[in-house]
Amino acid sequence: MNVLVKGAGVAGLTVAYELCLRGAEVTILEPFRDERSAASWYAGGMLAPWCERESAEQPIIDLGSKAADWWEATLPGTVTRNGTLVIASPRDVKELDRFGGRTSGFVHIGEEAISLLEPDLGGAFRKGLFFEGEAHLEPRRVLKDLRTMLTAWNTRFETEMSAPEISDFEWVLDCTGIASSDTDLRGVRGEMLLLRSKDISLSRPIRLIHPRFPLYIVPRPDNIFMVGATMIESHASGPIKARSVMELLNAAYSVHAAFGEAEIIETGAGIRPAYPDNLPRVVKTGNRISINGLYRHGFLLAPAMARQAADMILPERNVRHETHRQWL
Ligand SMILES: Cc1cc2nc3c(=O)[nH]c(=O)nc-3n(C[C@H](O)[C@H](O)[C@H](O)COP(=O)(O)OP(=O)(O)OC[C@H]3O[C@@H](n4cnc5c(N)ncnc54)[C@H](O)[C@@H]3O)c2cc1C
């Protein structure tokens, strides 16, 4: 079975992986050499279905609750299972109850427990919600590792292909995110920063209740922190706006004053592809399948979407027995 996957974001790479596992011969068409063309490049990497339920529907939990297991089984050692801590500044503390009222899978915690979980936040926050079952990963690392593994499995990566070449494939999967021609899709711009500071240590994503958009800080290796993210109804790519930088920096500073001295090592904006109901879709039309609408949840939902799509083509998942580690 030979399959073309268009797009090497998280949707394309995960479905390519699932298809390779089932014995398909996969080619990936990705015209842009610069990884910054993908929304996936900008993601925080939170695998947080229970927190996301605050603004999302139940399918996000149903589809996403096993995502951490999938990533860990696929790329051992890439998932950190330390949960999520949700906090609020004293003036927004009532909003924690509202957040808790819309979510599940957490415990209420006080100042002492916050200090035990995150010593660097000790004394600064009196109340929080701890979502113990959640996890996070480093998106750029898992994208790179998936590419490495796929290459080792003889997946071809192409930057150009003619229409006749494309029509030779038995199946074509469209994973082009916001570049898809699907007119139901809209873009939701997400701006983010990467900060570096040796003066702060965090073990898990911290979500700060914020009146305008969900703000979070995700720790990464080498003293780096991803701070995100705006939610702007727009297809427009391009540099981050000054207001967004100010809001994200203010939020980081209110979590810990040492962020005021952090280095800003990167700013960026990705366009999340979303359907009107903000839920993902796998749509089959003849020998074409589209996986899209991953919205705020690409890393959380891609494993389930990849399996759905692969099941439409090759239901058996039994061909590759090699340990994945040997490819990395
Ligand atoms: C700031 C920010 C933070 C986020 N945080 C999280 C998070 O913490 N957790 C989470 O689960 N999700 C998060 N997301 C959401 C997640 O990043 C997206 O849902 C996901 O990246 C969408 O993946 P995709 O593969 O559908 O699209 P993309 O990643 O955009 O990939 C599409 C690919 O298709 C390629 N392409 C374009 N045109 C063509 C063409 N004609 N032919 C072939 N290829 C083409 C593009 O170059 C690109 O590589 C975040 C998003 C943003 C912006």
Side-chain angles (χ1 to χ4, degrees):
M1 169 83 55
N2 78 52
V3 181
L4 177 67
V5 174
K6 290 177 164 183
V10 69
L13 294 176
T14 51
V15 76
Y17 169 83
E18 275 294 328
L19 288 165
C20 278
L21 268 188
R22 298 164 197 225
E25 212 176 286
V26 179
T27 300
I28 297 183
L29 173 60
E30 169 58 67
F32 302 99
R33 291 181 197 275
D34 186 343
E35 289 134 323
R36 288 173 294 180
S37 65
S40 303
W41 187 248
Y42 300 98
M46 293 175 294
L47 304 175
W50 291 279
C51 273
E52 286 295 305
R53 183 70 173 91
E54 188 252 344
S55 59
E57 302 298 321
Q58 180 63 27
I60 301 304
I61 295 187
D62 300 340
L63 294 167
S65 56
K66 296 274 189 293
D69 296 341
W70 187 94
W71 285 108
E72 187 56 31
T74 304
L75 300 169
T78 56
V79 176
T80 305
R81 294 175 187 263
N82 282 348
T84 305
L85 177 59
V86 182
I87 50 178
S89 67
R91 77 164 184 268
D92 294 326
V93 87
K94 279 196 183 142
E95 290 294 309
L96 269 182
D97 295 332
R98 194 195 57 78
F99 193 101
R102 294 184 55 83
T103 53
S104 61
F106 64 87
V107 288
H108 287 275
I109 58 173
E111 199 170 332
E112 203 178 329
I114 293 173
S115 301
L116 282 172
L117 287 171
E118 296 291 356
D120 280 5
L121 303 186
F125 297 94
R126 296 208 185 108
K127 286 184 173 176
L129 308 175
F130 181 43
F131 292 76
E132 191 177 3
E134 297 192 335
H136 67 284
L137 47 69
E138 214 285 63
R140 297 174 185 186
R141 176 178 169 196
V142 299
L143 294 172
K144 181 172 156 281
D145 286 356
L146 277 177
R147 271 179 176 262
T148 305
M149 190 152 71
L150 288 165
T151 305
W153 283 356
N154 296 325
T155 297
R156 284 191 302 135
F157 284 82
E158 302 288 349
T159 52
E160 274 179 27
M161 224 173 245
S162 65
E165 282 174 315
I166 291 176
S167 62
D168 275 350
F169 285 89
E170 287 166 82
W171 289 91
V172 177
L173 275 79
D174 186 324
C175 302
T176 54
I178 199 60
S180 152
S181 55
D182 188 335
T183 51
D184 272 359
L185 278 173
R186 71 183 202 284
V188 182
R189 180 176 152 101
E191 295 158 311
M192 49 76 81
L193 311 169
L194 291 184
L195 302 181
R196 181 159 52 213
S197 171
K198 287 190 177 149
D199 300 326
I200 311 152
S201 172
L202 297 172
S203 301
R204 56 187 54 75
I206 307 296
R207 291 191 181 224
L208 181 69
I209 301 284
H210 185 278
R212 278 187 297 288
F213 51 85
L215 276 163
Y216 48 81
I217 302 176
V218 188
R220 292 198 177 158
D222 305 321
N223 308 306
I224 293 174
F225 299 86
M226 184 275 192
V227 183
T230 56
M231 296 276 290
I232 301 165
E233 294 285 331
S234 167
H235 269 67
S237 53
I240 189 169
K241 294 286 189 295
R243 177 200 298 272
S244 306
V245 175
M246 288 190 288
E247 297 220 16
L248 294 170
L249 287 176
N250 269 336
Y253 184 69
S254 67
V255 169
H256 198 296
F259 279 120
E261 297 299 320
E263 295 169 279
I264 301 175
I265 59 171
E266 188 181 313
T267 63
I271 309 300
R272 308 174 184 95
Y275 285 113
D277 57 5
N278 293 335
L279 292 174
R281 292 183 193 167
V282 176
V283 180
K284 178 166 164 283
T285 316
N287 69 340
R288 296 190 169 243
I289 295 176
S290 131
I291 305 176
N292 219 321
L294 301 189
Y295 183 44
R296 288 164 50 101
H297 314 111
F299 288 79
L300 181 66
L301 302 183
M305 298 296 101
R307 280 189 155 164
Q308 275 183 27
D311 283 346
M312 291 174 174
I313 300 177
L314 283 167
E316 292 297 317
R317 191 177 196 257
N318 60 7
V319 173
R320 305 241 177 207
H321 298 293
E322 302 96 335
T323 57
H324 304 135
R325 262 290 177 220
Q326 76 190 81
W327 304 113
L328 299 179

